[in-house]
Amino acid sequence: MRKVTIIVLIMLLLLGVSAGVSAIEEEFYRLEGMSIDLKNIIDDEYTDFMTFSSELVDVEGTQVYLKMGENSTKAPQVGMVTNLAGFKVAAFFENGINKNENGENIYFKNEDDTQNILDELDILSINQSDLQVAPNKDVIVEIDEKAEGATHSDNTELSGRAILSRSFSSFDLGLKIDLNKDSSKQKEINSEKATIITYSTDQKDNIVEETIIEATEEFKYTDDTLDMTFGVDVRKPIGPGNLVVGGGIKPSKRTQEINYSSFDSNFTEDYINDNTSTDSYKYDYEYPTSSYVSPVFVNLKYEYPVKILNKEGIFRISGNFETGSDEDTVKYFTESRSIYKADGSVTSEFINTEEEEYNLSTGLSNYVFAVGTEIDLSTNTIFTIGVKYLYEGTEQVVSSNGYTEKDVNNNYNTDGSLNEGTSYITTTKVSSDYTFTEKTTQNSIVIPYGLETEINSKLTLRLGGTSIIYNSYKEEITEVTEGYHSVTETVYKDGTQLAPVEDNKDGYREEYNETESKFDTYTDFNLGLSYQLNEVATLDMNSGGDLANISYWDVSLNLKF
């Protein structure tokens, strides 16, 4: 027996080390065959010790849990419960890696229906007057366009949970530690190039104008999250039943970075006037942030035996409360350029940049209150029903103290040198307190119910469902307060500086308020089967909330030694 335990533990540890995390599921095959919302309403060994660690002492002997991935999108979960040095210990791991790549290429060349193509490409129309071609001469435009795109995503998850519990003379004590690491990466690149050649119909070899339009955009996203949970709870007999009270903290560190950049350029060569022009626009959006938050939570449950219609049963009441906050910073940057050339030389250049920094704060407050019962209808059939009230509230505040805009205007002499007398930099700093607040609340009434019956000594059937009534409310408030103040400074490259220009709006205030409310109801049903293969192994299956689609069914294996 000891040898089997050690071998299984080593196997689970190897699986866990090679893996990585989505949160360990606290509801297993029995509840999933009826309704996962029966958590803390029906007596379920696995769910109970996952929620309240002190109840791990109720598990007999050594048990191994294996749950296959749901619909090939969720990683397998493995776990084990055993005895060690007078304690009951448990370890669970879950591992997931998901990669996805795809790309596409589009190419077309068309000389017909030119104006419609230009409109679709959102390119400015080319007129005869612009080309300085005689009115009685027609022009033909040829378009050659190519577009490419590719995306790549990579997601790695690793989850682990360790539970330690022990019985004392008058109470049971449990400790729980969770470690969840989630790393997500995504990259997307798109590019497009269009060449437009314009020439006279009677002089096809004589190109009047050639325009090359290019556009590229790149999106990168990384999100690394490390979540931990430290929890402790105590179970103690109180009156006719048992009271379980616990709590803890959920420290979380998140490093997130979003980079989006796009570049558009329009190069035009005018063969009639013998000059070229280049307009370009560059946009960069940067969102680097690192945040740390440590919500606190409290769990409690009280259960006691009852008789309903002369049937034996258990009544339970439970609650969960959680609150926390988060702080982030977002940086915003854009750049646009325009370049004009004549006779092959740059004559002027204009650059515009804008920078702004936002502060984000988020607060959350969630709680659940539940009551329910399970009744022994017969020696082989159990019925359970409950009612839960759920409240979820979040408040997000986005604030900015202003932004900085800079314009660079460079003019060049015929010899290519900078004309310092006409070239300048204009900097505008705007101070304006901007605040955007979004408050979201959702109130839900959840009614879970289930029926479990033993068909024979090996086969058990489970049926159940959940009916939900919920109301969500969202309020958006935008405020610009405490006045508006801007200072614009212009400095020429030769050192000349213009007097600063100030713009003040004392007491300036704007406020916008938008609300949105939604009320809805829905019901889902579940089906589960349990088959005892032998004295050691039990195989469970459930519909995963979709009775019609077998690909959503879950398969679990439980081994008892």
Side-chain angles (χ1 to χ4, degrees), residues 412-474:
Y412 297 90
N413 300 313
T414 55
D415 61 358
S417 61
L418 181 67
N419 189 326
E420 297 182 349
T422 59
S423 301
Y424 59 87
I425 298 176
T426 299
T427 303
T428 301
K429 294 183 178 180
V430 178
S431 299
S432 177
D433 286 348
Y434 166 88
T435 303
F436 171 80
T437 304
E438 180 181 272
K439 299 179 181 179
T440 303
T441 60
Q442 179 166 310
N443 296 276
S444 303
I445 300 295
V446 180
I447 304 175
Y449 38 86
L451 182 73
E452 182 181 66
T453 183
E454 293 182 5
I455 304 299
N456 54 47
S457 60
K458 288 184 174 294
L459 182 63
T460 299
L461 173 67
R462 303 183 181 105
L463 298 167
T466 305
S467 297
I468 297 178
I469 305 170
Y470 74 91
N471 174 258
S472 62
Y473 177 80
K474 182 169 72 173

Side-chain angles (χ1 to χ4, degrees), residues 512-531:
Y512 308 94
N513 194 311
E514 294 184 9
T515 60
E516 177 183 336
S517 182
K518 182 180 180 181
F519 177 85
D520 204 354
T521 63
Y522 67 89
T523 299
D524 60 23
F525 299 98
N526 298 294
L527 171 65
L529 295 171
S530 179
Y531 186 76

Side-chain angles (χ1 to χ4, degrees), residues 77 123 171 182 199 217 253 259 292 354 376 408 418 449 537 552:
Q77 178 175 306
I123 298 172
F171 66 91
D182 191 340
Y199 49 84
E217 65 175 358
K253 181 173 177 58
N259 296 104
Y292 174 82
E354 186 173 327
D376 296 329
V408 179
L418 181 67
Y449 38 86
Y552 281 90

Side-chain angles (χ1 to χ4, degrees), residues 282-315:
K282 182 181 179 182
Y283 174 88
D284 285 311
Y285 175 85
E286 183 182 1
Y287 180 100
T289 180
S290 180
S291 61
Y292 174 82
V293 60
S294 186
V296 296
F297 66 92
V298 176
N299 295 327
L300 59 89
K301 178 178 70 172
Y302 185 69
E303 57 183 15
Y304 58 93
V306 294
K307 269 196 173 184
I308 301 177
L309 301 176
N310 291 322
K311 303 290 185 180
E312 298 292 335
I314 298 177
F315 182 82

Side-chain angles (χ1 to χ4, degrees), residues 246-386:
I249 60 173
K250 295 182 176 181
S252 174
K253 181 173 177 58
R254 183 180 187 184
T255 302
Q256 190 178 28
E257 186 169 355
I258 299 175
N259 296 104
Y260 174 82
S261 63
S262 65
F263 181 77
D264 301 316
S265 67
N266 187 324
F267 171 81
T268 301
E269 186 165 4
D270 186 344
Y271 292 97
I272 294 178
N273 297 312
D274 192 24
N275 61 41
T276 65
S277 65
T278 302
D279 292 321
S280 66
Y281 177 75
K282 182 181 179 182
Y283 174 88
D284 285 311
Y285 175 85
E286 183 182 1
Y287 180 100
T289 180
S290 180
S291 61
Y292 174 82
V293 60
S294 186
V296 296
F297 66 92
V298 176
N299 295 327
L300 59 89
K301 178 178 70 172
Y302 185 69
E303 57 183 15
Y304 58 93
V306 294
K307 269 196 173 184
I308 301 177
L309 301 176
N310 291 322
K311 303 290 185 180
E312 298 292 335
I314 298 177
F315 182 82
R316 291 182 177 85
I317 181 171
S318 64
N320 171 264
F321 310 91
E322 183 176 340
T323 182
S325 61
D326 190 13
E327 299 287 339
D328 289 316
T329 301
V330 178
K331 295 180 180 179
Y332 171 90
F333 175 79
T334 62
E335 178 184 287
S336 62
R337 289 174 176 264
S338 294
I339 301 173
Y340 183 75
K341 293 182 179 181
D343 298 326
S345 299
V346 176
T347 60
S348 64
E349 178 184 37
F350 178 78
I351 305 171
N352 172 267
T353 60
E354 186 173 327
E355 295 182 62
E356 188 168 3
E357 187 173 283
Y358 295 93
N359 297 316
L360 282 74
S361 63
T362 303
L364 64 89
S365 179
N366 302 326
Y367 53 86
V368 180
F369 178 76
V371 295
T373 186
E374 61 178 286
I375 306 169
D376 296 329
L377 298 181
S378 65
T379 56
N380 62 348
T381 302
I382 295 174
F383 174 74
T384 179
I385 189 170

Side-chain angles (χ1 to χ4, degrees), residues 23 43 371 398:
D43 181 18
V371 295
V398 182

